[in-house]
Amino acid sequence: MLHFNRCHHLKKITQKCFSSIHVKTDKHAQRFLSRTFALAELRKSWYSTHSLVGDKNIILMGPPGAGKTTVGRIIGQKLGCCVIDVDDDILEKTWNMSVSEKLQDVGNEQFLEEEGKAVLNFSASGSVISLTGSNPMHDASMWHLKKNGIIVYLDVPLLDLIHRLKLMKTDRIVGQNSGTSMKDLLKFRRQYYKKWYDARVFCESGASPEEVADKVLNAIKRYQDVDSETFISTRHVWPEECEQKVSAKFFSEAVIEGLASDGGLFVPAKEFPKLSCGEWKSLVGATYVERAQILLERCIHPADIPAARLGEMIETAYGENFACSKIAPVRHLSGNQFILELFHGPTGSFKDLSLQLMPHIFAHCIPPSCNYMILVATSGDTGSAVLNGFSRLNKNDKQRIAVVAFFPENGVSDFQKAQIIGSQRENGWAVGVESDFDFCQTAIKRIFNDSDFTGFLTVEYGTILSSANSINWGRLLPQVVYHASAYLDLVSQGFISFGSPVDVCIPTGNFGNILAAVYAKMMGIPIRKFICASNQNHVLTDFIKTGHYDLRERKLAQTFSPSIDILKSSNLERHLHLMANKDGQLMTELFNRLESQHHFQIEKALVEKLQQDFVADWCSEGECLAAINSTYNTSGYILDPHTAVAKVVADRVQDKTCPVIISSTAHYSKFAPAIMQALKIKEINETSSSQLYLLGSYNALPPLHEALLERTKQQEKMEYQVCAADMNVLKSHVEQLVQNQFI
């Protein structure tokens, strides 16, 4: 049984949410219903390898030299079906001359038109079709082929292509003019291939045609098995008499719902996909965007987001809004320590790496006829990042998706507070709460689990609630990319060879960032140790050392590193679930105990398992400031307070037998008073703008963050709401904002 999103489970829905609720015609249901219909059709033809695609064609697409013809013949032999080579079987028979002669006769532009016309007059079913390298440059013929085919992109490393073309003595391809190198033309062609494919086969360097053919068949199986990749709650207990798929959710549903209905967090029902060593090596020379496309395609089924559409989202997310073209560059600090700079996004923190992409994913996944209100708790950086990210959606999406960021009124830095408030737009608001981050996060979870309130919002206002904190899988997943990319950059820069281990040290509060590194390791990145760095709120460090998560008589301390001023670490539940072999009953018991008794203890075997991979320690306020000072004096580099916490811990616990990548989670500009105190600069009471200009005069690395500097110049003070730490008051604010946005 397949499950649809929350809209389908609600018994009472207003006319506004579903203006035409007819199962067969409702546009809202099309995305999810299409999966059901597709699955039913697939089951009819899933009984043998020969019926892998039924009447559909397998269409192999790729640049010249990708091996489409050879791979197509191997697949045809395996499936016992017809093999059609567009060059040999369509073009040359239509033209009665060779392709090279035709190209020489009519020239590049006319050749593409003649080639397209020949393909438009062709039809086949149940065949393997090997396209020419230039077919994807003709839209009409590709739409014609796509109607009855699954297009598989053979993505071959550029150097392999050039080598093969030299062996084939190919000195000219369609579109190549004098003065254009083969390398540049092949790069140019990629935009056309990315536009059309349904499934990508990432061909590692030196892969044999037989290996590529097997990958093609596996890619098609995955593409067609639409219910193969599902998500479960960390607290779900499977009844012995039921199959696991009964309560599974698809990626799109997990993103929409945010938090599971039983209070748990969504996690993949199966293991993370793993790339081979050769595939990783092929990504060493890739850009951040290219790496993200490969990795996220493996983690998101094309039935949820088609690969080509996902690629468009990634290119939009990591474009001109990032100050550094490398997106998340790695910088050598000193000795065996490297800094992963995660602050080049528009709001200057690592949250941008997720929240420039997640809104596009969310907008794609939700039904077109429902309104959604995103509730977010922020300890400092998430608020501005989520407001900025969702404000970049197109006009139509902003009319149906709104955001509310709850932040501790007195628990973030002055700059963070001004940034959150200043990031409000027509579909996003900031609400200060007279409490701490833990209250904000717990309150949001309780609101999600209050079925009376959420049902009321849906029935009364046609609005459904969701989240954009790292409790939402769509927010957490993109973070895996930068941990993998950092390792690949070290390989690319020659500091290590692929396969050599590294440690990662991450300032940790809600456990999402460090958990993303765990997932990167599961995908094949050789991370040896995960070093959890805490500030004075070191409940996680204590837990990793003892297995005892104890909040009794522990009061949240306000520190120079407010983004990790957290006591209730939500994403820890995901990691414990993984370590405990997906024991949902245990997760329910542990986190219910934490809620009621404010502590829990895990068994010795789990503690030992945790400590195999994790090391933890914490940093005092004085040590944090001293690390900022000493790092600047020795290297000319200014650490933000969170990164300084991580450096102190790395210095203390890392054994220096391998490189350690320290996650720099925010730009120091956001914490100018603390930086000036650390550097013993007296003019601390200056305005934010003058503080930043003063720091800029030191010519330190990294340079000032221009977007943050522009923020300090904004004179207009925006209004925002402040509310008491009371659940009913928070719910009243949510209802009022829903009315303002959607009524």
Side-chain angles (χ1 to χ4, degrees), residues 3 232-233 235-248 262 582-585:
H3 293 263
I232 57 174
S233 167
R235 302 187 189 183
H236 186 76
V237 180
W238 300 111
E240 291 183 1
E241 67 275 11
C242 294
E243 294 183 2
Q244 288 196 3
K245 292 180 182 178
V246 170
S247 296
D262 58 10
K582 302 182 179 178
D583 188 341
Q585 182 63 45

Side-chain angles (χ1 to χ4, degrees), residues 624-635:
C624 172
L625 296 182
I628 295 170
N629 184 287
S630 63
T631 301
Y632 172 72
N633 286 329
T634 57
S635 66

Side-chain angles (χ1 to χ4, degrees), residues 62-64 132-134 137 173-175 184-194:
T132 71
S134 54
M137 300 172 74
I173 59 177
V174 179
D184 289 341
L185 184 57
L186 291 172
K187 284 184 176 180
F188 173 77
R189 285 271 193 95
R190 285 178 177 170
Q191 63 182 304
Y192 297 101
Y193 304 135
K194 289 190 295 184

Side-chain angles (χ1 to χ4, degrees), residues 77-352:
Q77 290 175 352
K78 286 177 177 287
L79 300 182
C81 61
C82 179
V83 179
I84 300 169
D85 182 84
V86 171
D87 265 341
D88 296 340
D89 300 320
I90 301 176
L91 300 183
E92 295 193 356
K93 289 183 178 179
T94 300
W95 296 333
N96 292 317
M97 66 172 68
S98 70
V99 171
S100 59
E101 289 173 334
K102 185 71 170 180
L103 177 58
Q104 188 173 4
D105 183 38
V106 301
N108 288 320
E109 293 186 13
Q110 186 61 31
F111 178 89
L112 290 175
E113 286 302 314
E114 295 287 337
E115 182 184 54
K117 289 178 182 178
V119 172
L120 282 169
N121 290 325
F122 158 80
S123 63
S125 62
S127 302
V128 180
I129 302 174
S130 299
L131 300 183
T132 71
S134 54
N135 278 148
M137 300 172 74
H138 190 271
D139 284 5
S141 61
M142 289 303 293
W143 281 119
H144 172 69
L145 291 168
K146 197 174 177 72
K147 289 177 183 177
N148 192 40
I150 300 172
I151 300 179
V152 181
Y153 173 28
L154 303 188
D155 189 359
V156 178
L158 187 60
L159 292 179
D160 281 25
L161 290 174
I162 294 173
H163 177 67
R164 293 177 190 177
L165 291 172
K166 284 183 179 179
L167 293 177
M168 296 162 60
K169 298 182 179 180
T170 302
D171 57 2
R172 184 189 175 196
I173 59 177
V174 179
Q176 187 173 10
N177 299 311
S178 60
T180 305
S181 70
M182 186 72 74
K183 181 178 180 180
D184 289 341
L185 184 57
L186 291 172
K187 284 184 176 180
F188 173 77
R189 285 271 193 95
R190 285 178 177 170
Q191 63 182 304
Y192 297 101
Y193 304 135
K194 289 190 295 184
K195 180 178 179 179
W196 297 109
Y197 69 95
D198 297 306
R200 182 204 305 251
V201 169
F202 189 47
C203 306
E204 56 194 80
S205 183
S208 69
E210 289 78 11
E211 291 171 329
V212 175
D214 286 338
K215 280 192 168 189
V216 170
L217 294 175
N218 288 332
I220 293 171
K221 287 178 182 178
R222 181 196 178 217
Y223 178 81
Q224 299 217 94
D225 193 0
V226 295
D227 69 340
S228 62
E229 297 171 24
T230 54
F231 291 77
I232 57 174
S233 167
T234 50
R235 302 187 189 183
H236 186 76
V237 180
W238 300 111
E240 291 183 1
E241 67 275 11
C242 294
E243 294 183 2
Q244 288 196 3
K245 292 180 182 178
V246 170
S247 296
K249 301 285 185 180
F250 297 119
F251 172 85
S252 49
E253 296 171 302
V255 169
I256 291 171
E257 296 182 23
L259 189 70
S261 59
D262 58 10
L265 307 181
F266 288 116
V267 291
K270 297 180 180 178
E271 295 296 322
F272 253 80
K274 190 167 185 177
L275 275 68
S276 68
C277 180
E279 288 174 325
W280 281 118
K281 287 181 178 179
S282 295
L283 285 173
V284 168
T287 65
Y288 189 90
V289 166
E290 291 166 342
R291 292 167 181 172
Q293 288 175 339
I294 295 293
L295 298 182
L296 295 180
E297 280 178 22
R298 296 290 179 92
C299 299
I300 302 174
H301 196 281
D304 289 295
I305 305 178
R309 179 70 186 104
L310 178 61
E312 292 172 357
M313 295 179 191
I314 291 169
E315 290 180 354
T316 299
Y318 304 122
E320 295 179 356
N321 45 342
F322 277 77
C324 177
S325 61
K326 293 183 178 179
I327 309 302
V330 177
R331 186 189 298 269
H332 182 224
L333 186 62
S334 63
N336 72 322
Q337 293 185 347
F338 297 83
I339 296 290
L340 171 57
E341 295 184 343
L342 299 173
F343 48 70
H344 293 288
T347 69
S349 87
F350 79 103
K351 307 297 176 69
D352 290 325

